[in-house]
Amino acid sequence: MEKDNRYVVGLGEALWDVLPEGKKLGGAPANFAYHAGQYGLNTVAVSALGDDALAEETIQQLEEKKLRYEMPHVPYPTGTVQVELDTEGVPTYDIKENVAWDNIPFSKPIEGIARNSRAVCFGSLAQRNVVSRETISKFLDHTPSDCIKIFDINLRQQFYTKEVIQESLKRCNILKINDEELILIGRMFGYPGLDMENKCFLILGKYDLDMLVLTCGVNGSYVFTPGKVYYQPTPKVEVADTVGAGDSFTGTFCAAILNGKSVEEAHKLAVNVSAYVCTQNGAMPEIPERFKF
């Protein structure tokens, strides 16, 4: 069978997580692309950088990680996030505003990537500013009809609106959400009385999704498809930090599905990889061979 070399794209924020032990390159799109790329896919991270020292460091790190990128320079600072960890290693974020990734231009190279995309993962955070929101919308408009479009909802601080979430749900075919976000969405959309499973099936049907992936931290994770639910428990591990664990889950799940694995196989692998990432510092550790296929 001919290898499909179309792009698997992480689209949105490029930033540095400033952690207690120092700064590490992060941002969901780069994390997603990095982890999907560990399974041999032609991945690319699409964002924007400033004209500053952090931009140069970003490029250096992406090249060291062998991660392809399309990140035009814009006249705003490269993004940073102050990350505080609690005693369980769970992060809280202070995400700086009006930075480069808020202002991603829809360029010819980015349009070319969109037209040749096999899968794209995007979130709500990178849509907090109109410039990047319009670029994400145009990118999705230019993808082929068979492109997998994953909306990794990623509600952070006050950086989301009902309108952005609804529009994104209409544009995706897979939703990735966590249990806390599901409660917020239930309140926002006016169905707080439903239990977790019914909320998920309601969203799945209302927006005609192929899958809804729900992660519940230590309480396991679920994949909802029309008529069927899959469940995997969360492995017990020694947590270093949980930064990027969700992105490694999404990247691995997407890579497994694109490589012809069943939903159940993809789900199990994603759970194990994200648990491993929790045992490592930072969002982009190399995945051991035992998790490869």
Side-chain angles (χ1 to χ4, degrees):
M1 189 169 134
E2 193 178 328
K3 187 167 158 54
D4 191 332
N5 274 321
R6 291 182 297 163
Y7 299 115
V8 174
V9 184
L11 172 62
E13 63 273 16
L15 49 83
W16 287 81
D17 290 316
V18 184
L19 294 143
E21 73 272 12
K23 68 181 192 301
K24 290 186 184 293
L25 183 62
N31 296 341
F32 167 84
Y34 174 73
H35 287 292
Q38 294 196 73
Y39 294 91
L41 297 171
N42 187 19
T43 56
V44 58
V46 174
S47 188
L49 298 171
D51 279 311
D52 51 24
L54 268 186
E56 290 169 29
E57 282 191 66
T58 305
I59 289 166
Q60 183 186 343
Q61 287 253 334
L62 291 169
E63 290 181 349
E64 278 175 18
K65 297 277 186 189
K66 297 183 172 56
L67 178 55
R68 182 172 177 162
Y69 57 90
E70 181 57 46
M71 298 187 183
H73 292 278
V74 294
Y76 298 88
T78 299
T80 56
V81 178
Q82 203 71 37
V83 184
E84 301 290 336
L85 301 175
D86 69 13
T87 53
E88 304 291 313
V90 176
T92 53
Y93 303 94
D94 176 19
I95 304 165
K96 304 306 176 194
E97 295 188 64
N98 206 24
V99 292
W101 60 261
D102 285 315
N103 296 279
I104 305 167
F106 191 66
S107 62
K108 278 288 177 197
I110 289 175
E111 181 184 330
I113 290 167
R115 290 184 184 280
N116 198 32
S117 289
R118 191 179 178 199
V120 56
C121 183
F122 67 101
S124 51
L125 179 57
Q127 297 185 71
R128 67 181 182 176
N129 185 46
V130 65
V131 177
S132 290
R133 185 160 68 244
E134 287 181 355
T135 292
I136 288 169
S137 181
K138 287 175 189 168
F139 189 102
L140 296 170
D141 285 342
H142 285 84
T143 55
S145 59
D146 65 344
C147 180
I148 294 173
K149 296 184 279 289
I150 304 166
F151 178 39
D152 189 348
I153 200 162
N154 202 18
L155 303 182
R156 295 278 187 255
Q157 293 170 221
Q158 75 283 11
F159 300 130
Y160 57 89
T161 65
K162 185 177 179 180
E163 291 69 31
V164 163
I165 291 165
Q166 282 180 320
E167 192 56 37
S168 299
L169 285 167
K170 290 174 191 169
R171 309 294 297 276
C172 72
N173 39 42
I174 298 177
L175 170 65
K176 162 108 178 322
I177 190 167
N178 68 33
D179 49 351
E180 292 174 0
E181 291 164 341
L182 184 66
I183 291 164
L184 285 169
I185 295 298
R187 285 189 197 132
M188 191 185 283
F189 288 5
Y191 32 82
L194 292 179
D195 66 18
M196 184 187 78
E197 188 166 313
N198 281 322
K199 270 183 202 158
C200 289
F201 274 124
L202 180 65
I203 294 167
L204 189 79
K206 184 177 170 68
Y207 294 98
D208 195 25
L209 303 177
D210 295 332
M211 290 181 229
L212 186 154
V213 180
L214 173 69
T215 57
C216 303
V218 296
N219 297 315
S221 59
Y222 302 81
V223 180
F224 292 82
T225 62
K228 186 153 187 187
V229 187
Y230 302 84
Y231 171 77
Q232 285 288 335
T234 301
K236 288 184 169 56
V237 294
E238 189 81 25
V239 174
D241 69 56
T242 61
V243 179
D247 304 323
S248 71
F249 183 112
T250 315
T252 303
F253 185 82
C254 178
I257 293 291
L258 289 174
N259 275 283
K261 302 295 181 189
S262 68
V263 171
E264 197 167 11
E265 289 170 323
H267 187 193
K268 188 169 186 180
L269 183 65
V271 163
N272 288 330
V273 168
S274 65
Y276 171 78
V277 170
C278 287
T279 69
Q280 307 296 302
N281 285 314
M284 294 191 199
E286 193 168 334
I287 299 303
E289 283 303 313
R290 69 179 184 274
F291 296 123
K292 302 289 178 70
F293 44 72

